[in-house]
């Protein structure tokens, strides 16, 4: 049912204006920047006069008025009807179309807006407008979204996924630079069989067989008994396990793979021997080839475990209302459907269980094509196309997530700009402390854009969860191998040798819970993850490192004050990028002794650097610093502590301190402790970054600290960090 005001609204005429604009003009970038857009038509149709009238119409049963009211009412005062006529809530309401950009919204939204004083407009509601697939009116398909089925297992939904893949394979030149039909299959794959005639899936030992395959990215959700072991190998190879006995997520993946027209599917639980540490390590080292070589990766983002499934009923409102779509001349009328645009505005895909799991990051980044099943809809992503099931483009995300960028790394086709090394302006040594035993030679820091992209990857990775902490390096080894090929650099437990000084400037947030300082005899984790100078050595949350942020450059000048002489990593298994047994870093750097930062007692001797000592003790009270110290610190009798000044930076500003001007640079300090095992051997227990604030005062702590450091007795010392 529609009220007389809504019945008179001709939505076809509105879209006809948009079609003409899209056909005869080009999208323009606004003066504020951003993506190019077509101008919308927000004031196309005068709807009800005021919200009181809108509310009355909705109460009387008008579908469109009800849909508008449902969206706007939560933001309105409860006593709406008592607002005096002519007040701001009683102004004219308009129906129209929003502006839209081909790269952003893809197509316009139907909007309801209210005119306020001085020409301002209040947004009341926004809708996706769609028709059932196959009956879209000619000439308007590119302006209308698509119906989203509540059943992702229905033929209509599966055919959309198959069409995405077929179109990509047939028409996307960039996506097909490498022949995907002539790839060596992974060591083992699942032959998916068929439903007609019934043929059970079975495990295939490939022995160099060449074909195309799909890969599955999913959450195990804890222990799963349905895995490949020496005891289940025979049954899986002979296809003696019916598809109906597969866990639901794996069963659904087989169904999708069949519908995509692919014969093979790679699933880690069924293609890696789960009772062999050697086979697990060998296959984990091949993730770059498994996911990078797959025709498509099926991502079960909406599934929390192998038993949850990904083709289950979607709990989304399919339509909020429908309105007539009249043919030109008014001889024939069909209907278009509206759904609240906010259903797909909340970025729910990012919050899915799969996107919180550490292993799945490299799986998505390495894949040339991704078919993702979310709670609300499917999404497709390849180098030339990023669409959701409703037909709207997926908004561009972080640069490192872009498949065009990642695939250019994999196939060795980075642009000249991406390959070029960039010089960062160094600082003069004229204000460097004069009491160094040996003043180090200065040199330019060269950095590659890829190093910043790598940090973005590790930053996202450390924000995710790992069920087994020893997976911290194996879960990144595939993407690390791709970056290693592009950089031509030595990988060092999550860092890179040529960029290691910047890489050492990390801090790591606490993952959860409240940390309390333990006694001096507290123990670190018995399992070794990485050297203490690597972020992978401790458990925690997201890492931060302002010097690795791509947005930081070229606004900061950085100079290394430490020189790395050697880095060595001993792998646990054959993969040098996976689990490691031990490692060390030898460097020469400005060295200054400090008191035990965890000591609660005051030293009887005069403190040589009181501001520095106080600042370190103060930082020990903060969660990130305390978390690292607790996990790294290992007490021994006669233990000594020190700081290494590994770099200094400047924001390119001069600061007025009192009556003088200073361009004193900031400092990057690694806090270390002796191991008690051999002379000049230390472990990292913390990191401190000091910079001059934007508006410093003479008594500012950081200003005082930097002044103290200029006069401190630094020793140019060679140390071994483990």
């Amino acid at each position: 049912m529609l009220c007389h005001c809504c019945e008179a609204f001709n939505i076809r005429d509105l879209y006809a204006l948009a079609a003409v604009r899209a056909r005869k003009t080009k999208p323009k970038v606004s003066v504020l920047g951003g993506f190019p857009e077509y101008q919308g038509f927000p004031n196309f149709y005068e709807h009800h006069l005021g919200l009181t009238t809108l509310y009355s119409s909705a109460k009387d049963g008008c579908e469109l008025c009800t849909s508008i009211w449902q969206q706007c009412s939560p933001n309105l005062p409860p006593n709406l009807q008592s607002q005096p006529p002519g007040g701001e809530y009683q102004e004219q309401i308009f129906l129209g179309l929003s502006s839209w950009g081909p790269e952003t919204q893809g197509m316009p939204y139907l909007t309801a807006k209210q005119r306020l004083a001085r020409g301002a407009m209040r947004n009341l509601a926004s809708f996706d407008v769609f028709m059932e697939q196959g009956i879209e009116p000619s000439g308007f398909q590119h302006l209308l979204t698509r119906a989203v089925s509540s059943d992702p297992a229905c033929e209509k939904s599966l055919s959309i996924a198959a069409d995405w893949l077929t179109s990509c394979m047939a028409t996307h030149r960039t996506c097909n630079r490498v022949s995907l039909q002539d790839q060596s299959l992974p060591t083992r794959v699942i032959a998916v069989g068929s439903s007609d005639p019934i043929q059970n899936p079975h495990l295939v030992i490939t022995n160099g067989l060449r074909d195309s395959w799909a890969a599955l990215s999913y959450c195990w959700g804890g222990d799963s008994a349905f895995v490949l072991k020496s005891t289940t190998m025979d049954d899986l190879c002979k296809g003696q396990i019916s598809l109906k006995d597969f866990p639901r997520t794996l069963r659904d993946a087989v169904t999708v793979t069949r519908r995509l027209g692919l014969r093979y599917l790679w699933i880690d639980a069924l293609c890696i021997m789960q009772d062999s540490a050697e086979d697990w390590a060998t296959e984990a080292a091949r993730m770059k080839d498994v996911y990078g070589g797959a025709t498509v990766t099926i991502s079960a983002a909406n599934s929390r475990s192998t038993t949850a499934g990904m083709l289950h009923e979607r709990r989304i409102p399919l339509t909020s209302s429908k309105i007539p779509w009249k043919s030109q001349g008014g001889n024939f009328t069909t209907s278009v459907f509206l759904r609240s645009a906010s259903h797909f505005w909340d970025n729910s895909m990012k919050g899915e269980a799969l996107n919180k799991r550490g292993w799945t990051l490299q799986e998505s980044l390495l894949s040339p094509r991704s078919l993702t099943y979310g709670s609300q809809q499917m999404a497709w992503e390849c180098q030339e196309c990023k669409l959701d099931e409703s037909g709207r483009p997926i908004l561009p995300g972080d640069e490192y997530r872009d498949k065009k960028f990642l695939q250019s790394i994999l196939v060795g086709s980075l642009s000249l700009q991406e390959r070029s090394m960039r010089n960062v302006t160094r600082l003069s040594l004229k204000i460097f402390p004069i009491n160094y035993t040996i003043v180090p030679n200065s040199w330019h820091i060269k950095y590659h854009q890829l190093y910043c992209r790598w940090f973005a990857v590790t930053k996202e990775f450390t924000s995710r969860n790992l069920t087994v902490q020893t997976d911290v390096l194996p879960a990144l080894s595939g993407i690390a191998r791709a970056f290693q090929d592009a950089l031509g650099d030595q990988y060092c437990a999550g860092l890179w040798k040529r960029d290691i000084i910047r890489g050492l400037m990390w801090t790591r947030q606490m993952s959860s819970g409240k940390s309390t300082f333990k006694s001096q005899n507290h123990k670190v984790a018995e399992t070794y993850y990485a050297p203490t100078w690597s972020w992978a050595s401790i458990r925690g949350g997201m890492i931060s490192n302002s010097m690795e942020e791509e947005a930081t450059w070229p606004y900061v000048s950085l100079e290394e004050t430490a020189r790395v002489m050697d880095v060595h990593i001993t792998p646990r298994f054959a993969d040098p990028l996976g689990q490691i047994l031990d490692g060390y870093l030898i460097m020469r750097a400005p060295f200054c002794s400090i008191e035990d930062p965890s000591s609660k007692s005051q030293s009887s001797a005069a403190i040589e650097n009181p501001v520095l000592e106080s600042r370190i003790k103060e930082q020990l009270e903060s969660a990130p610093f305390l978390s690292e110290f607790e996990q790294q610190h290992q007490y021994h009798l006669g233990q000594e502590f020190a700081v290494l000044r590994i770099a200094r930076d400047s924001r390119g500003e001069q600061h007025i301190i009192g009556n003088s001007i200073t361009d004193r640079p900031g400092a990057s300090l690694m806090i270390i402790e002796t191991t008690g095992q051999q002379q000049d051997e230390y472990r990292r227990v913390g990191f401190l970054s000091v910079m001059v604030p934007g508006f410093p005062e003479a008594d500012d702590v950081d200003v005082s600290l930097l002044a103290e450091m200029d006069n401190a007795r630094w020793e140019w010392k060679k140390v071994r960090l483990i």
Side-chain angles (χ1 to χ4, degrees), residues 102-138:
E103 299 177 68
T104 50
Q105 301 87 358
M107 53 205 74
Y109 293 100
L110 177 66
T111 60
K113 295 176 179 283
Q114 186 177 30
R115 179 190 293 148
L116 302 180
R118 298 182 181 179
M121 300 292 285
R122 174 191 285 127
N123 293 318
L124 300 179
S126 297
F127 300 96
D128 277 330
V129 180
F130 65 93
M131 286 186 177
E132 291 296 331
Q133 190 176 7
I135 63 170
E136 297 94 338
S138 176

Side-chain angles (χ1 to χ4, degrees), residues 381-431:
E381 186 175 3
C382 64
Q383 294 187 60
E384 295 191 18
C385 180
K386 300 175 180 66
L387 287 175
D388 62 28
E389 194 171 349
S390 73
R392 290 192 182 276
I394 299 171
L395 293 179
D398 299 312
E399 290 289 343
Y400 76 90
R401 290 178 176 269
D402 183 69
K403 287 199 179 294
K404 190 172 293 186
F405 168 71
L406 265 300
Q407 292 304 307
S408 67
I409 289 180
L410 290 173
V411 302
S413 62
L414 284 170
S415 68
L416 180 62
Q417 180 182 7
E418 290 168 322
R419 284 189 175 279
S420 63
M421 302 293 286
R422 302 184 182 182
N423 290 325
V424 180
T425 305
R426 65 176 176 83
L427 292 173
S428 168
L429 288 175
K430 64 183 180 181
I431 59 170

Side-chain angles (χ1 to χ4, degrees), residues 54-55 58 62-76 124-125 127 317 319-321 340 342-343:
L54 175 71
Y55 172 75
C62 175
E63 292 182 24
L64 180 53
C65 292
T66 299
S67 297
I68 297 172
W69 182 256
Q70 287 174 344
Q71 283 197 49
C72 72
S73 59
N75 302 316
L76 300 174
L124 300 179
F127 300 96
T319 61
S320 54
S321 60
S340 172
S342 63
H343 291 330

Side-chain angles (χ1 to χ4, degrees), residues 1-9 47-48 57 60-67 321-325 335-336 338:
M1 170 188 165
L2 295 176
C3 65
H4 71 282
C5 190
C6 292
E7 282 184 344
F9 171 51
H47 196 240
H48 287 295
S57 179
D60 290 339
C62 175
E63 292 182 24
L64 180 53
C65 292
T66 299
S67 297
S321 60
K322 65 179 181 179
I323 56 179
W325 179 284
S335 295
V336 290
L338 309 182

